[in-house]
Amino acid sequence: MDAELSETLPRGVVESIARRRSYLTLTSDAPSDSDIRDLIQACTSVADHKALRPWRIITLRGAARERFGAAIVEHEYGDASLLTDPDKIADARKLAGKPLRAPLLIAIVHRFVGHPSVPEWEQVASAAGLGHLLSLALFDQGWGVVWRTGPFVNMPRVAEMHGLKEGERLLGWLYVGGIDPSDVKPRNRRIDAAQLITRLE
Ligand SMILES: Cc1cc2nc3c(=O)[nH]c(=O)nc-3n(C[C@H](O)[C@H](O)[C@H](O)COP(=O)(O)O)c2cc1C
């Protein structure tokens, strides 16, 4: 964080927000299921018009990540064992390895709830809010996180592998793992907040 920011910001949640950055490379450490449950419990405070809870969470560890990779490959190439083109074989291997970049993946799912006064976009905003809160809560507890989507969110095989139901949609995955102690660079985006504010009086 900027030196001047660290002097003016209060300790606590605002400081965690200001310090947050994504960690693209993660170690094999991961929070436990009960850690995740506690953090999600805390994140249920996310703003939610009419308390519809238009979201749910799916965690993937171990072989589930391999099944996710296999679903991506199947979407792209069908039966990959029939591939003969070396470039396609290499690409299939690369795709299969995508979900293995973290020991724990947390899928953020928007669950559409039909309601006369809460349009879908408000529900997606709430579900995305849950993802951001969870990402921040994990970071605050010392875990590395990066939110990834890619084309995978729209692949029917991937949705099926996750067990999505009618009206549910993947908003991406929080890739979660340990932070490598040598990965100490500060957040890279430097944004001037003053340029983003319009004041009406
Ligand atoms: C909904 C959502 C989807 C994202 N999908 C991807 C993605 O597929 N690939 C990627 O490299 N970054 C993706 N990002 C951006 C990263 O999570 C991250 O914010 C970005 O690498 C910038 O790093 P920073 O958070 O440290 O500023 C996504 C972010 C959000 C909020």
Side-chain angles (χ1 to χ4, degrees):
M1 194 193 320
D2 298 310
E4 62 272 24
L5 266 181
S6 63
E7 279 157 30
T8 55
L9 281 174
R11 296 266 148 189
V13 69
V14 179
E15 191 181 23
S16 281
I17 292 169
R19 279 188 192 282
R20 190 207 67 81
R21 52 162 276 223
S22 299
Y23 289 82
L24 305 186
T25 309
L26 300 157
T27 75
S28 59
D29 286 342
S32 68
D33 286 345
S34 80
D35 293 337
I36 296 295
R37 192 195 51 230
D38 289 350
L39 292 178
I40 291 171
Q41 190 69 57
C43 294
T44 57
S45 69
V46 70
D48 176 10
H49 194 177
K50 300 285 182 196
L52 300 179
R53 290 193 309 279
W55 26 257
R56 71 181 177 101
I57 297 295
I58 301 168
T59 63
L60 296 90
R61 301 180 195 261
R65 299 168 310 148
E66 288 164 25
R67 293 199 300 279
F68 178 10
I72 297 170
V73 172
E74 201 180 317
H75 175 92
E76 288 294 337
Y77 293 113
D79 185 350
S81 69
L82 303 176
L83 290 175
T84 52
D85 178 336
D87 288 344
K88 287 185 178 164
I89 292 171
D91 187 51
R93 278 213 192 97
K94 194 171 148 200
L95 289 173
K98 293 268 184 198
L100 306 179
R101 291 174 289 178
L104 168 65
L105 273 55
I106 303 179
I108 310 293
V109 178
H110 167 233
R111 194 177 65 84
F112 176 72
V113 183
H115 192 282
S117 56
V118 186
E120 183 168 4
W121 78 264
E122 291 191 13
Q123 300 181 26
V124 174
S126 183
L130 183 85
H132 285 294
L133 284 188
L134 183 55
S135 166
L136 184 68
L138 285 159
F139 171 73
D140 186 64
Q141 298 294 300
W143 298 106
V145 185
V146 58
W147 189 332
R148 297 182 185 276
T149 46
F152 319 127
V153 284
N154 295 318
M155 294 179 174
R157 267 298 288 121
V158 169
E160 188 190 330
M161 180 263 143
H162 281 70
L164 290 202
K165 302 183 195 106
E166 182 81 23
E168 293 186 334
R169 170 176 158 199
L170 288 161
L171 300 186
W173 296 264
L174 303 184
Y175 280 59
V176 183
I179 295 175
D180 185 328
S182 66
D183 189 354
V184 290
K185 64 178 173 119
R187 58 179 280 211
N188 51 15
R189 282 180 296 157
R190 304 182 73 83
I191 295 166
D192 179 7
Q195 297 198 348
L196 303 171
I197 301 168
T198 303
R199 295 179 66 234
L200 303 178
E201 292 186 33

